[in-house]
Amino acid sequence: QVQLEESGGGLVQAGDSLRLACAASMYTLSSYAVGWFRQAPGKGREFVAAISPSGSVTKYADSVKDRFTISRDNIRNMGYLQMNSLKPEDTGVYYCAGDRVSMSTFASNLQTRYDSWGQGTQVTVAS
């Protein structure tokens, strides 16, 4: 399985931006769809965004659409989540995850499909 490690979290003010990175090792990320999920304090983990192996298909949760952008660089074995116009409700631990798929245009919002997970990075948005 691919191993994933997130970075880029931190404490920001509402309206600020952050860029999260997801570094892959052990296997090439180009065979995996990449998803970002988050877990707020006292809540379950929820879907944020996903991108297909080719990068041609992306999906977003309604709560982040038009504010967040998911991307990837298969040459560098990296995934990214650009977060703009951050809100206090975006606070949580953000996880990247990998879903090994056969179709280069497939990306899922279902947590159960993802079998490789990073340890998470904390994002805190102050009001």
Side-chain angles (χ1 to χ4, degrees):
Q1 283 185 342
V2 67
Q3 294 186 354
L4 304 171
E5 182 175 4
E6 305 90 341
S7 61
L11 171 63
V12 296
Q13 298 295 314
D16 285 350
S17 297
L18 273 177
R19 188 193 196 203
L20 304 184
C22 175
S25 61
M26 299 300 290
Y27 289 94
T28 176
L29 198 58
S30 60
S31 299
Y32 291 78
V34 175
W36 286 93
F37 297 82
R38 67 186 181 189
Q39 186 166 18
K43 295 187 177 180
R45 191 160 57 187
E46 65 175 2
F47 170 74
V48 175
I51 187 168
S52 64
S54 67
S56 62
V57 175
T58 57
K59 293 184 177 179
Y60 295 93
D62 288 343
S63 59
V64 306
K65 205 170 291 184
D66 299 326
R67 297 188 299 122
F68 290 10
T69 302
I70 190 170
S71 62
R72 63 190 299 153
D73 184 336
N74 285 343
I75 294 176
R76 291 182 170 83
N77 241 16
M78 297 289 295
Y80 303 99
L81 185 68
Q82 177 68 42
M83 305 186 296
N84 298 330
S85 302
L86 282 162
K87 304 175 181 180
E89 51 263 44
D90 294 319
T91 293
V93 178
Y94 282 70
Y95 301 89
C96 72
D99 174 16
R100 184 156 186 163
V101 297
S102 57
M103 290 181 60
S104 64
T105 56
F106 183 84
S108 174
N109 61 348
L110 298 177
Q111 292 189 47
T112 51
R113 283 203 55 94
Y114 292 83
D115 52 12
S116 298
W117 291 82
Q119 293 299 306
T121 185
Q122 177 71 44
V123 172
T124 303
V125 184
S127 57

